[in-house]
Every structure is written in C-alpha cells, then in structure tokens.
Amino acid sequence: MPPSFTSVNKQIRKVAVLGAGTMGSRIAAHIANAGLPVILLDIVPPGTDTGAEKAAKNKFVLAAMDGLKKSKPAAFYTQESARLITIGNFEDDLGMIADCDWVIEVVAENLEIKHALLGKVAQHRRADSILTTNTSGLPIAKIAEGLPAEVKPYFFGTHFFNPPRYMRLLEIIPTRESDTGAVATIAHFCDQRLGKTIVRSHDTPNFIANRIGTFSLGNAIRLMQEQGLTIEEVDTLTGAALGWPKTGTFRLGDMVGIDVLAHVAKNFSAQAAAIGDERAEVALAPFIGRMIEQKWLGDKVGQGFYKKMGKDAEGRDLRHVLDWQTLDYNPS
C-alpha cells in the first residue's frame, strides 16, 4: 500500500502531461500558469525515421506549443509561462517523467492506446508519483486494468474541461483501489493552485457533466429538427438568454470537439441497457455522423457547426454557420 498522503507531506512541484492535443496542451499551459515546470510529450509522427532529427520527432508537440501561443481565448496568463514547458516524445523522452510528482495521461479515447502508453509509464514513473487519466467518459476501472498492482493505488481519473484555464470544474473519479490520500493531494492542489471547483464522481458512464451535457445536446438537436430551427437560432436560445455560456449549444460543441461529443454519446448508447435510465435522445443525429466522416470536428480543424472565415476589417472573427439539412455553410 502507498504511504498516507496529505496536502502537507505530499507537494506537487512538477507535472508531466502525456498527449499534446487540444486538451493535453491546454492542461499543460494552465499548470505552467500556476508556476510549475511541466513535461509535455506526444507521439512521434507515423512514418518518421528512427534516426530523424529531434524537430521531426517532436513535430506534433511543437505544433501544439505554437497553437498554445496563438490560441483564443489565451491559454497562457502571459507568454513567458511557455518557458516552463519542456517538450519531447513518447519514444525518446518518457524517462523525463521520473522526477514528476503527478503524471496526467491525455491521449486518444481508446482503451488499447491508453493501456499501451500506461504500461510504458509504469516503467518510468517514480514509485510514489500520482498517475491520472483525463478521459471524457471511459470507465476508469477499465483503464486501470493493465496497471501493475503497486501502481493502482496511485491511479484515478481527473477530468478537466475545455478550455481548462477558464472552465473551473474538475471531476475526480477514484477507483475502488485508489488511495484516498493521493486523491486528496490532487484535489487540494487543483483547488489551491489551479483554481478548480472539485466534484467527486462515481465511475459511471461519462461521469457527471458529460452525462448531463450530452443529453442536453442531443435533446437540443432533436428539438431543432422537429421545429425546423437553425443552428444559430438554437445557440441564441440556449446561450445567455438562459443564463448559460454565451457560446450556446453548438458553438460550445465546436470548442469541445465534435469527435469528443460523438465518443461520449456512444458511451451512453453502449451502456444504456445496463444503466436503465437513459433516453433515446442520447443518440446523436445522422448529420453529425456525416460531419465526422468529412472531418469537420470543430475548432481544432477550423470548421464544425461553424466555419472560420478569417477576420473582418476590425479584426473580429468571421464565421459561417452550417445548414444541418444541406451541410452547406452560409454567412452567419
């Protein structure tokens, strides 16, 4: 069993983030905002020669860092915070996690991919370091299955929301084997240093927020189709007018990522019979499946429910909006 953790005898001084996609890179940026050194690693691009230069192997993580510096809303408090992030790749640099107090896995929502990476992490992590996953809804116990027994007490879920600098909620999802002190250490750190509001969740499909949010999205789409509304009209009705974020339903979906939304919805569908309390609205509409086939995944690729069209004369973002019936984009 691990030692008894407390916020006093276990300090988080250095963090590793494994996965430099939209979510992972922004988590790394926000931890750097708190003044901590961060290791940010990602895969080597497929097809890269083993003897390639470091820049080629680090192509994805370098692109992520460039994106962080340009992101809107800003990921960093100040651009100087970027100096606290050290980059690398999974093939050459996993040894860099050895002196990290907290290691956060933020790779693709695929159990096989997560198991493969976490197996390597177990070989390099320090014996008392805390290891968490940022999955949007995969069962934490399933992710933990491949971990060595001595690692499991240090492992649990930490589900950040995008963009993590601005979204205060953090869901913490322990397994039955998670050490309560290790969980308390991360909860204390995220509360005091990252400004998070902590919610403890059971290891149920999609946890709390995504379970509610995905149902809300599915229901909004159903009503939109039944009543012949447009995407813009739904965003107007479900934004500031309700006291919700001004992004509304679909603009928020673009920020989160339409592929992520679809993954969470599939989690619902797969678990519906076992849960026994879900409704038909959790299934996303067919037009979203066609968007995913076209790789219209939201902000990360420049188009989703809305399409970026540059800036106007005053420097404001211009967007066209999707007609969900024809899949054409029209001026908003």
Side-chain angles (χ1 to χ4, degrees), residues 3-273:
S4 177
F5 286 85
T6 70
S7 59
V8 175
N9 66 24
K10 179 64 178 178
Q11 298 294 322
I12 302 299
R13 297 185 176 90
K14 186 174 184 180
V15 180
V17 179
L18 308 182
T22 300
M23 198 70 211
S25 61
R26 292 184 180 189
I27 291 171
H30 192 48
I31 294 170
N33 287 337
L36 274 71
V38 184
I39 304 297
L40 179 62
L41 308 181
D42 207 329
I43 63 170
V44 173
T48 303
D49 188 81
T50 54
E53 294 184 359
K54 199 71 171 177
K57 288 187 170 184
N58 289 348
K59 180 180 178 180
F60 289 159
V61 72
L62 284 167
M65 288 298 297
D66 186 54
L68 286 176
K69 295 171 184 176
K70 300 175 181 177
S71 68
K72 292 184 179 180
F76 291 115
Y77 292 160
T78 66
Q79 291 293 323
E80 287 73 23
S81 296
R83 65 181 174 77
L84 290 168
I85 300 178
T86 301
I87 64 170
N89 64 76
F90 295 153
E91 290 187 12
D92 300 326
D93 303 310
L94 268 178
M96 295 167 68
I97 73 173
D99 62 345
C100 292
D101 304 297
W102 180 18
V103 179
I104 314 171
E105 171 270 304
V106 201
V107 297
E109 293 285 68
N110 179 297
L111 277 174
E112 185 177 343
I113 293 173
K114 290 181 183 292
H115 284 160
L117 177 60
L118 291 174
K120 296 176 183 177
V121 169
Q123 300 173 32
H124 292 281
R125 62 178 281 278
R126 199 178 64 222
D128 66 342
S129 67
I130 297 170
L131 174 62
T132 70
T133 177
N134 185 65
T135 178
S136 298
L138 290 175
I140 305 299
K142 286 284 187 184
I143 298 173
E145 281 181 351
L147 290 172
E150 65 272 17
V151 177
K152 289 183 178 181
Y154 299 90
F155 181 78
F156 50 95
T158 47
H159 182 212
F160 290 81
F161 292 81
N162 191 31
R165 173 182 168 184
Y166 301 92
M167 300 295 282
R168 291 192 62 187
L169 183 65
L170 173 67
E171 293 177 327
I172 291 185
I173 313 99
T175 71
R176 292 182 179 181
E177 297 173 272
S178 301
D179 178 76
T180 57
V183 173
T185 293
I186 296 303
H188 178 81
F189 172 80
C190 291
D191 175 19
Q192 297 296 309
R193 298 295 298 274
L194 302 185
K196 296 300 178 186
T197 297
I198 309 299
V199 177
R200 307 291 179 98
S201 172
H202 294 300
D203 191 8
T204 55
N206 301 321
F207 316 131
I208 301 171
N210 276 349
R211 186 165 180 163
I212 297 169
T214 304
F215 174 81
S216 177
L217 171 67
N219 204 35
I221 291 172
R222 178 182 64 82
L223 291 169
M224 175 181 74
Q225 294 178 311
E226 288 179 358
Q227 299 180 25
L229 300 174
T230 67
I231 282 173
E232 275 192 303
E233 287 172 336
V234 172
D235 276 353
T236 299
L237 292 168
T238 60
L242 291 180
W244 291 4
K246 64 181 180 180
T247 49
T249 297
F250 293 103
R251 183 70 194 94
L252 178 61
D254 275 353
M255 294 177 67
V256 171
I258 295 165
D259 52 336
V260 175
L261 295 176
H263 166 77
V264 174
K266 287 179 181 178
N267 274 351
F268 269 137
S269 299
Q271 298 292 330

